[in-house]
């Protein structure tokens, strides 16, 4: 067993950094090969699905022996040039499921989008109202403090000289 830290570092290196660099190299070529771009798109789709599924299932299965090493081996299987597992897993497993439920997925995404937009607008309105209220409270507080604690204006120097000058004459 590699240990959690080493498995995580290797997963980041071989599951994200190396594939991202390979995508970069493929995109920067003078002649872009459609099949290679599709391969990397499939890879990143599968990685996204794995990250989402793992966020829920990790608590349940992360205690299994060699779990980190298995994840590492799977992501290497997905991108390795000899296996190109991303093409197989995408075509045989993911694509049929998504195609079967594509309309429902699109409908749910649109519902989520509209609900999210409504919630965002509500939060912004609440935030603006809260901010406006607090600003007015601060202004009110400062004005009452200034009025209550303001010292009387000092007598001007001219008035004092006028009073003294008749006595001095």
């Amino acid at each position: 067993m590699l240990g959690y830290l080493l498995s995580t570092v290797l997963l980041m290196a071989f599951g994200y950094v190396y594939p991202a660099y390979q995508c970069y190299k493929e995109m920067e070529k003078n002649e872009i090969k459609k099949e290679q771009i599709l391969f990397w798109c499939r890879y990143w789709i599968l990685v996204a699905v794995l990250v989402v599924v793992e966020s829920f299932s990790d608590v349940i299965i992360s205690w299994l022996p060699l779990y980190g090493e298995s994840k590492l081996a799977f992501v290497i299987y997905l991108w390795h040039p000899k296996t190109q597992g991303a093409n197989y897993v995408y075509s045989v497993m993911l694509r049929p499921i998504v195609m079967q439920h594509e309309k429902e997925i699109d409908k749910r995404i649109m519902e989520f989008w509209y609900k999210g937009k409504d919630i965002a607008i509500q939060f912004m309105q609440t935030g603006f109202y809260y901010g406006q209220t607090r600003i007015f409270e601060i202004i009110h507080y400062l004005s009452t403090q200034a009025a209550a604690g303001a010292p009387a204006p000092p007598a001007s120097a001219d008035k004092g000289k006028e009073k003294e000058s008749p006595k001095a004459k």
Side-chain angles (χ1 to χ4, degrees):
M1 291 190 355
L2 295 174
Y4 176 76
L5 181 62
L6 185 58
S7 293
T8 302
V9 169
L10 290 174
L11 184 63
M12 294 296 152
F14 291 115
Y16 298 106
V17 176
Y18 177 76
Y21 182 67
Q22 291 300 318
C23 284
Y24 164 79
K25 284 177 46 176
E26 194 61 42
M27 290 186 334
E28 295 301 319
K29 287 182 180 177
N30 289 335
E31 186 179 322
I32 296 176
K33 296 176 184 171
K34 181 181 176 183
E35 192 55 42
Q36 277 301 107
I37 296 297
L38 288 174
F39 169 77
W40 287 113
C41 285
R42 290 178 187 125
Y43 173 82
W44 289 114
I45 289 169
L46 290 170
V47 168
V49 169
L50 287 173
V51 167
V52 170
V53 169
E54 184 182 36
S55 67
F56 296 107
S57 66
D58 205 33
V59 175
I60 299 168
I61 60 174
S62 64
W63 58 271
L64 292 172
L66 301 174
Y67 174 68
E69 293 84 350
S70 300
K71 284 191 318 189
L72 177 61
F74 184 67
V75 296
I76 292 173
Y77 161 77
L78 289 176
W79 61 255
H80 197 276
K82 291 194 182 211
T83 60
Q84 290 200 348
N87 286 332
Y88 177 78
V89 173
Y90 178 84
S91 300
V92 173
M93 300 173 106
L94 186 64
R95 186 171 184 257
I97 293 170
V98 173
M99 286 180 69
Q100 183 180 358
H101 300 286
E102 188 172 1
K103 289 181 182 180
E104 184 179 337
I105 293 169
D106 288 341
K107 179 183 171 193
R108 297 287 171 112
I109 288 172
M110 291 306 293
E111 288 174 0
F112 179 75
W113 173 257
Y114 288 123
K115 286 179 183 177
K117 191 168 75 171
D118 292 342
I119 290 171
I121 289 171
Q122 184 180 5
F123 273 117
M124 285 178 17
Q125 288 173 341
T126 304
F128 287 139
Y129 174 76
Y130 180 78
Q132 182 182 18
T133 303
R134 295 299 165 246
I135 288 172
F136 287 141
E137 287 176 357
I138 291 169
I139 292 170
H140 177 68
Y141 174 77
L142 292 174
S143 65
T144 57
Q145 290 298 313
S156 70
D158 294 335
K159 289 183 181 179
K161 288 182 183 178
E162 288 176 10
K163 290 181 181 178
E164 291 179 19
S165 57
K167 290 181 182 179
K169 291 182 183 177

